[in-house]
């Protein structure tokens, strides 16, 4: 398809790659945090809740800068990762994935938390009386019943990751083929003369992806809810 | 033998009970809010009491003195909840199998096919709970508890959420459970007719305390249990349906005595248990003449129990079985009712509620 140039294609492929890994790797943690917030009471619960939601409120550039301070080559965590594991996040696509995951995390946790809270604890009790240990109750009752919210949360997080810009460009810059995702590419095109055409194509793709993700999360959520709801 | 001894303090309410439940159906009987459900939850491990000891035979579930508090999933109980609590994301078959996944390999199990057949839920197996009626859900809940290889079955008002028709549909299954399955059942109820039909043993609970315990008829007919029992006291007669008459009545044969009741659904020849509430029985020394009531049972007084109020509960042995009558103390004196005295029990046909008539398999119940 020559409608899109190689640079646009690269941006799209990179965005998909970044968003996929960002969503997949943050999902287990998202479920754990959502479960903790929904079901446990522990000291520092409000702090954890605030921390999770912080990226939603902070200017993305601040999140990106904090990531750079923490995970940059001289950052506390970045140094350890670099020296011990040889992993570099700053200015790499892996860093873009980290930034996207953190920015999408609040959306994911909110959706999953709501669906876990909607699971009747009385059903979990029933599972326990039937001999299921807490872990089995979680795996066979809580998790499947919260599935609509988990899927919706994952899809929303994916869409959010596709659109992440501020934190990404601050943390990993805008390197073609390495960290130039769709939003960064649009930004780059708009900075150069005559770039409106390719930019507009990517804009349309962004809108399409976002819309498709929203519709899909609605649809899948409803399908699974109907199944879980037992009809 | 289940032994329960519990102390627990709630806000504005204290639970302090001590009772023993021999094999069979033990009914915790009392008004709403008397603490029955808390007791069952403590046995299940869903409520951890301040202090107590719960043992089923030599198997200890809870002993706070020794610091033993078994987690709910290690207690191996089948709990039938008031609202069923079926897993909506699983099919009926998976719901039934759920407990079996976690039961120890060697545990004695009920046969899946036999339970399904007993409860009549074969056609429902591939459906999900959302597509079941209230009565069907409760039958599946019974099966699910039964198939988890439990050492004890708990039932917390399993009929309370159902309408009268559904209750009439489910009660026979509990009767079958009692008669065919060799697992002790602890059953919570505030309905005297359920108690009369099911109970082997009754533990009367009031305000968090045991006020009476013993065999069903003794406790229900005990004026000392007045707030709980006497108003709802009643005797149970076993009878066989003789025929359905054209005028809407059914004639029953209770050990050779004819009883007339409003038309029953069971076919002639069926065995039924009929509960006759004590307050629906009139006593007469002479055989009454010119009376509209159809059922007159001659018998001999075996006991007159006086409560603290104006009432007395008279137990009468008739050919059809033991009948309880609630009369005033004044009447009991005026009629000279005392053990050994002959009297007639008079029961209006229409006063026997349909919910007080239970089915029983021939030879059972």
């Amino acid at each position: 398809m020559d409608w899109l140039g190689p640079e646009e294609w690269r941006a799209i492929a990179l965005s998909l790659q970044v968003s996929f890994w960002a969503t997949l790797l943050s999902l287990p943690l998202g479920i754990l945090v959502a479960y903790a917030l929904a079901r446990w009471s522990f000291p520092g619960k409000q702090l954890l809740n605030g921390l999770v939601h912080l990226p939603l409120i902070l200017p993305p550039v601040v999140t990106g800068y904090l990531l750079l301070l923490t995970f940059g080559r001289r950052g506390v965590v970045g140094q350890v990762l670099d020296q011990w594991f040889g992993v570099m996040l700053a200015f790499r696509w892996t860093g873009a994935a980290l930034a996207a995951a953190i920015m999408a995390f609040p959306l994911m946790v909110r959706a999953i938390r709501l669906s876990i809270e909607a699971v009747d604890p009385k059903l979990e009790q029933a599972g326990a009386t039937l001999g299921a240990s807490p872990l089995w109750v979680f795996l066979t009752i809580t998790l499947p019943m919260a599935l609509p919210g988990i899927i919706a949360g994952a899809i929303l997080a994916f869409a959010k990751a596709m659109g992440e810009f501020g934190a990404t460009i601050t943390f990993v810059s805008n390197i073609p083929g390495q960290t130039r995702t769709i939003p960064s590419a649009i930004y780059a095109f708009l900075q150069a003369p005559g770039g409106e055409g390719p930019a507009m194509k990517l804009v349309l793709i962004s809108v399409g992806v976002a819309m498709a993700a929203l519709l899909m999360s609605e649809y899948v959520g409803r399908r699974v809810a109907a199944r879980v709801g037992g009809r | 033998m289940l032994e329960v001894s519990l102390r627990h303090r709630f806000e504005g309410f204290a639970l302090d009970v001590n009772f023993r439940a021999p094999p069979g159906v033990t009914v915790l009987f009392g008004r709403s809010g008397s603490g029955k459900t808390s007791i069952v939850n403590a046995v299940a491990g869903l409520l951890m009491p301040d202090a107590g000891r719960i043992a089923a035979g030599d198997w200890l579930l809870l002993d706070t003195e020794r610091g033993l508090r078994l987690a709910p999933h290690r207690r191996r109980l089948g709990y039938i909840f008031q609202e069923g609590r079926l897993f909506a994301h699983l099919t009926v078959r998976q719901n039934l199998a759920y407990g079996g996944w976690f039961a120890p390999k060697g545990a004695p199990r009920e046969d899946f096919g036999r339970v399904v057949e007993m409860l009549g839920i074969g056609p429902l197996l591939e459906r999900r709970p959302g597509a079941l009626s209230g009565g069907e859900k409760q039958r599946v809940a019974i099966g699910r508890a039964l198939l988890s290889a439990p050492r004890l079955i708990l039932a917390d008002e399993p009929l309370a959420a159902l309408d009268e028709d559904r209750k009439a549909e489910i009660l026979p299954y509990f009767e079958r459970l009692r008669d065919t399955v060799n697992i002790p059942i602890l059953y919570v109820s505030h309905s005297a007719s359920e108690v009369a039909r099911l109970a082997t043993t009754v533990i009367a609970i009031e305000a968090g305390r045991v006020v009476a315990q013993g065999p069903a008829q003794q406790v229900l007919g005990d004026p000392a249990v007045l707030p709980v029992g006497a108003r709802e006291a009643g005797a149970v007669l076993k009878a066989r349906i003789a025929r359905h008459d054209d005028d809407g009545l059914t004639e029953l044969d209770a050990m050779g005595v004819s009883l007339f009741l409003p038309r029953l659904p069971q076919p002639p020849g069926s065995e039924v248990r009929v509960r006759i509430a004590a307050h629906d029985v009139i006593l007469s020394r002479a055989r009454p003449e010119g009376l509209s009531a159809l059922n007159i049972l001659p018998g001999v007084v075996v006991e007159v129990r006086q409560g603290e109020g104006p009432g007395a509960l008279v137990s009468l042995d008739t050919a059809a079985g033991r009948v309880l009558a609630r009369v005033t103390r004044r009447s009991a004196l005026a009629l000279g009712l005392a053990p050994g005295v002959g009297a007639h029990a008079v029961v209006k046909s229409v006063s026997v509620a349909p919910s007080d008539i239970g089915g029983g398999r021939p030879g059972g119940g």
Side-chain angles (χ1 to χ4, degrees), chain A residues 3-86:
Chain A
W3 184 63
L4 289 169
E7 201 170 334
E8 289 96 311
W9 273 118
R10 245 189 307 173
I12 292 168
L14 186 67
S15 271
L16 289 172
Q17 182 186 357
V18 162
S19 305
F20 175 76
W21 287 108
T23 307
L24 192 70
L25 294 182
S26 60
L27 193 56
L29 187 65
I31 293 172
L32 180 70
V33 169
Y35 188 82
L37 290 176
R39 285 290 150 84
W40 295 339
S41 57
F42 52 92
K45 180 170 169 175
Q46 284 317 310
L47 192 70
L48 176 67
N49 193 29
L51 213 59
V52 165
H53 283 89
L54 214 51
L56 207 59
I57 319 294
L58 278 180
V61 63
V62 172
T63 306
Y65 183 59
L66 290 174
L67 280 174
L68 195 56
L69 286 182
T70 316
F71 292 94
R73 193 188 291 270
R74 301 217 198 99
V76 189
V77 183
Q79 250 175 6
V80 174
L81 286 177
D82 189 15
Q83 285 168 12
W84 292 19
F85 305 101

